[in-house]
Amino acid sequence: MQTVPIIELNDGNVVSELGLGVFLMETGRGEELIHQAFDIGYRRLDTAAMYENEEMVGQAIASAGLPRDEVQVTTKLWNTDHGYDAALRAFDLSLKRLQLDYVDLYLIHWPCPKQDLYVESWRALEFLQSQGRVRSIGVSNFLPEHLARLIDETGVVPVLNQIEVHPHFQQQEAREFADQHGILIEAWSPLGRGAVLDDPIIQALSRRHGRSPAQVILRWHVQMGNAVIPKSSSPERLRENLNIFDFVLSDDELQQIADCDRAQRTGPDPAVFE
Ligand SMILES: NC(=O)c1ccc[n+]([C@@H]2O[C@H](COP(=O)([O-])OP(=O)(O)OC[C@H]3O[C@@H](n4cnc5c(N)ncnc54)[C@H](OP(=O)(O)O)[C@@H]3O)[C@@H](O)[C@H]2O)c1
């Protein structure tokens, strides 16, 4: 079984460097995949209220029978639940669907700047953490300007920012801001939803190392200091994605991947997405 390295967060808690994203995993098959993932060493699951599969995730955790403190669960506050009271209500429902007493990480899914409520939502997350129902609090899809405001107005720095990052969308500005403030970058769509696998540089490095293109990309992420949450619906690819801790990309190879950046998003722009 593969052991995944851990990363210490700015609040002293730790997370696995690599977890399983469960977006689009459904009841039945999803539960089976989560059990297969646990069997080979995954210990961290990334869901969200918006994925409408928190119940399935909770069921999979309950039926796997692992000690609670061996599994880390992230879920997220959806855009329609911004604001202090609404966030508390939404969290109660998420926790109930997950059949848990606490979650390891609770994130604001998108800043939704037009609603202008993310600071109030953040205060609700702080309250939930003080109650022990959330171990660590963070955000997702926050631009540096949103993070700066959150930190200025509340003094509480998110432990991580989960954002779209892959070789075609490397997010230099967001990474620099995160570095300066001790915020971990967690890459969503770390494989660019599969679209980066055919990049010629990735293909060449894959041949050179005798590793799959996905393994090269995930290895690049961990060497950049990113946490990653690739999703796969295939047991073979779940295993492949986990087996990235026994080879190293050289500085020159990292630079070749740095040069692949096309500033090309696959998902929405946080500046306008509501
Ligand atoms: N915070 C946010 O706003 C946000 C947004 C999007 C996603 N996320 C999170 O990030 C997770 C991952 O993102 P994602 O699913 O969009 O993209 P991804 O992990 O970059 O890519 C998933 C795609 O790559 C394929 N794939 C996975 N492993 C592979 C391998 N070893 N070789 C070839 N193909 C492979 C998968 O196909 P198969 O399933 O067939 O293997 C699937 O089509 C989500 O599940 C979710 O938890 C968060």
Side-chain angles (χ1 to χ4, degrees), residues 158-196:
V159 294
L160 63 77
N161 188 14
Q162 186 183 109
I163 54 177
E164 177 179 354
V165 189
H166 45 75
H168 288 175
F169 191 58
Q170 298 190 19
Q171 297 255 39
Q172 186 62 23
E173 196 196 342
R175 286 216 312 267
E176 279 168 14
F177 186 97
D179 273 357
Q180 285 158 10
H181 292 84
I183 299 169
L184 174 67
I185 292 287
E186 177 157 81
W188 64 253
S189 294
L191 305 172
R193 299 184 174 158
V196 187

Side-chain angles (χ1 to χ4, degrees), residues 46 140-141 162 189 191 193 231-233 237 240-241:
D46 181 87
S140 178
N141 300 302
Q162 186 183 109
S189 294
L191 305 172
R193 299 184 174 158
K231 171 253 167 193
S232 179
S233 48
R237 290 191 286 278
E240 185 183 311
N241 294 347

Side-chain angles (χ1 to χ4, degrees), residues 7 15-18 44 184-187 221 225-229:
I7 304 181
V15 285
S16 289
E17 199 166 10
L18 188 148
R44 185 157 173 235
L184 174 67
I185 292 287
E186 177 157 81
H221 278 289
N226 300 337
V228 275
I229 44 167

